[in-house]
mmCIF file of all heavy atoms in Angstrom:
data_model
loop_
_atom_site.group_PDB
_atom_site.id
_atom_site.type_symbol
_atom_site.label_atom_id
_atom_site.label_comp_id
_atom_site.label_asym_id
_atom_site.label_seq_id
_atom_site.Cartn_x
_atom_site.Cartn_y
_atom_site.Cartn_z
ATOM 1 N N MET A 1 -44.427 -36.819 77.743
ATOM 2 C CA MET A 1 -44.121 -37.442 76.468
ATOM 3 C C MET A 1 -44.029 -38.948 76.651
ATOM 4 O O MET A 1 -43.363 -39.430 77.562
ATOM 5 C CB MET A 1 -42.793 -36.909 75.933
ATOM 6 C CG MET A 1 -42.439 -37.460 74.559
ATOM 7 S SD MET A 1 -40.954 -36.659 73.937
ATOM 8 C CE MET A 1 -41.603 -35.008 73.721
ATOM 9 N N VAL A 84 -15.558 -35.572 89.310
ATOM 10 C CA VAL A 84 -14.543 -36.574 88.941
ATOM 11 C C VAL A 84 -13.459 -35.931 88.073
ATOM 12 O O VAL A 84 -12.265 -36.229 88.234
ATOM 13 C CB VAL A 84 -15.202 -37.757 88.200
ATOM 14 C CG1 VAL A 84 -14.137 -38.653 87.567
ATOM 15 C CG2 VAL A 84 -16.053 -38.574 89.158
ATOM 16 N N LEU A 88 -9.651 -35.977 89.304
ATOM 17 C CA LEU A 88 -8.607 -36.653 88.524
ATOM 18 C C LEU A 88 -7.430 -35.728 88.243
ATOM 19 O O LEU A 88 -6.262 -36.135 88.346
ATOM 20 C CB LEU A 88 -9.186 -37.174 87.211
ATOM 21 C CG LEU A 88 -9.965 -38.489 87.277
ATOM 22 C CD1 LEU A 88 -10.605 -38.790 85.919
ATOM 23 C CD2 LEU A 88 -9.065 -39.631 87.703
ATOM 24 N N THR A 92 -3.601 -36.008 89.679
ATOM 25 C CA THR A 92 -2.438 -35.972 88.792
ATOM 26 C C THR A 92 -1.393 -34.983 89.293
ATOM 27 O O THR A 92 -0.190 -35.275 89.315
ATOM 28 C CB THR A 92 -2.865 -35.590 87.360
ATOM 29 O OG1 THR A 92 -3.881 -36.483 86.913
ATOM 30 C CG2 THR A 92 -1.693 -35.648 86.407
ATOM 31 N N ASP A 140 -30.615 -19.996 75.552
ATOM 32 C CA ASP A 140 -31.555 -18.936 75.162
ATOM 33 C C ASP A 140 -30.996 -17.545 75.451
ATOM 34 O O ASP A 140 -31.380 -16.568 74.797
ATOM 35 C CB ASP A 140 -32.886 -19.115 75.898
ATOM 36 C CG ASP A 140 -33.647 -20.335 75.396
ATOM 37 O OD1 ASP A 140 -33.416 -20.740 74.239
ATOM 38 O OD2 ASP A 140 -34.456 -20.891 76.168
ATOM 39 N N ILE A 145 -23.449 -11.268 79.044
ATOM 40 C CA ILE A 145 -22.085 -11.281 79.584
ATOM 41 C C ILE A 145 -21.990 -12.152 80.833
ATOM 42 O O ILE A 145 -21.018 -12.886 81.018
ATOM 43 C CB ILE A 145 -21.624 -9.841 79.898
ATOM 44 C CG1 ILE A 145 -21.511 -9.034 78.599
ATOM 45 C CG2 ILE A 145 -20.294 -9.854 80.632
ATOM 46 C CD1 ILE A 145 -21.109 -7.598 78.796
ATOM 47 N N GLY A 169 -0.105 -28.557 75.147
ATOM 48 C CA GLY A 169 -0.799 -29.099 73.991
ATOM 49 C C GLY A 169 -2.225 -29.498 74.304
ATOM 50 O O GLY A 169 -3.159 -29.202 73.547
ATOM 51 N N SER A 203 -0.607 -11.929 75.488
ATOM 52 C CA SER A 203 0.418 -12.874 75.023
ATOM 53 C C SER A 203 1.798 -12.591 75.611
ATOM 54 O O SER A 203 2.497 -13.525 76.043
ATOM 55 C CB SER A 203 0.485 -12.867 73.496
ATOM 56 O OG SER A 203 -0.650 -13.491 72.947
ATOM 57 N N GLY A 208 5.923 -14.827 79.205
ATOM 58 C CA GLY A 208 6.858 -14.761 80.327
ATOM 59 C C GLY A 208 6.594 -15.807 81.396
ATOM 60 O O GLY A 208 7.487 -16.162 82.167
ATOM 61 N N VAL A 212 11.085 -22.322 80.090
ATOM 62 C CA VAL A 212 12.023 -22.158 78.975
ATOM 63 C C VAL A 212 11.820 -23.229 77.909
ATOM 64 O O VAL A 212 11.816 -22.944 76.712
ATOM 65 C CB VAL A 212 13.480 -22.190 79.485
ATOM 66 C CG1 VAL A 212 14.449 -22.152 78.302
ATOM 67 C CG2 VAL A 212 13.746 -21.022 80.421
ATOM 68 N N LYS A 239 10.083 -35.362 59.424
ATOM 69 C CA LYS A 239 9.874 -34.841 58.071
ATOM 70 C C LYS A 239 10.705 -35.631 57.059
ATOM 71 O O LYS A 239 10.231 -35.954 55.961
ATOM 72 C CB LYS A 239 10.254 -33.359 58.034
ATOM 73 C CG LYS A 239 10.011 -32.682 56.693
ATOM 74 C CD LYS A 239 10.370 -31.208 56.774
ATOM 75 C CE LYS A 239 10.143 -30.502 55.448
ATOM 76 N NZ LYS A 239 10.492 -29.059 55.536
ATOM 77 N N ALA A 263 10.312 -41.237 69.998
ATOM 78 C CA ALA A 263 8.867 -41.438 70.208
ATOM 79 C C ALA A 263 8.127 -41.667 68.905
ATOM 80 O O ALA A 263 6.959 -41.295 68.760
ATOM 81 C CB ALA A 263 8.262 -40.253 70.960
ATOM 82 N N GLY A 278 3.820 -44.838 52.370
ATOM 83 C CA GLY A 278 3.863 -43.725 51.451
ATOM 84 C C GLY A 278 2.650 -42.796 51.496
ATOM 85 O O GLY A 278 1.861 -42.816 52.443
ATOM 86 N N VAL A 287 -8.456 -39.701 54.942
ATOM 87 C CA VAL A 287 -9.810 -39.887 54.400
ATOM 88 C C VAL A 287 -10.721 -40.511 55.451
ATOM 89 O O VAL A 287 -11.877 -40.094 55.634
ATOM 90 C CB VAL A 287 -9.772 -40.763 53.131
ATOM 91 C CG1 VAL A 287 -11.180 -41.190 52.726
ATOM 92 C CG2 VAL A 287 -9.107 -40.012 51.986
ATOM 93 N N MET A 289 -10.377 -40.357 58.743
ATOM 94 C CA MET A 289 -10.629 -39.373 59.796
ATOM 95 C C MET A 289 -11.610 -38.310 59.321
ATOM 96 O O MET A 289 -12.512 -37.910 60.072
ATOM 97 C CB MET A 289 -9.310 -38.725 60.238
ATOM 98 C CG MET A 289 -9.475 -37.646 61.303
ATOM 99 S SD MET A 289 -10.328 -38.225 62.806
ATOM 100 C CE MET A 289 -9.060 -39.242 63.537
ATOM 101 N N ILE A 293 -15.214 -37.377 61.080
ATOM 102 C CA ILE A 293 -15.539 -36.017 61.534
ATOM 103 C C ILE A 293 -16.812 -35.510 60.854
ATOM 104 O O ILE A 293 -17.706 -34.960 61.502
ATOM 105 C CB ILE A 293 -14.362 -35.063 61.267
ATOM 106 C CG1 ILE A 293 -13.174 -35.418 62.172
ATOM 107 C CG2 ILE A 293 -14.788 -33.605 61.501
ATOM 108 C CD1 ILE A 293 -11.896 -34.691 61.817
ATOM 109 N N ALA A 332 6.849 -31.002 60.633
ATOM 110 C CA ALA A 332 7.732 -29.910 61.068
ATOM 111 C C ALA A 332 7.153 -28.551 60.726
ATOM 112 O O ALA A 332 7.880 -27.600 60.423
ATOM 113 C CB ALA A 332 9.128 -30.063 60.451
ATOM 114 N N SER A 350 -5.135 -42.732 75.366
ATOM 115 C CA SER A 350 -5.718 -42.060 74.204
ATOM 116 C C SER A 350 -6.692 -42.971 73.476
ATOM 117 O O SER A 350 -7.804 -42.562 73.122
ATOM 118 C CB SER A 350 -4.606 -41.613 73.256
ATOM 119 O OG SER A 350 -5.143 -41.058 72.073
#
Side-chain angles (χ1 to χ4, degrees):
M1 183 174 293
V84 168
L88 280 174
T92 305
D140 290 335
I145 294 178
S203 288
V212 175
K239 183 178 180 180
V287 169
M289 178 56 73
I293 292 170
S350 175

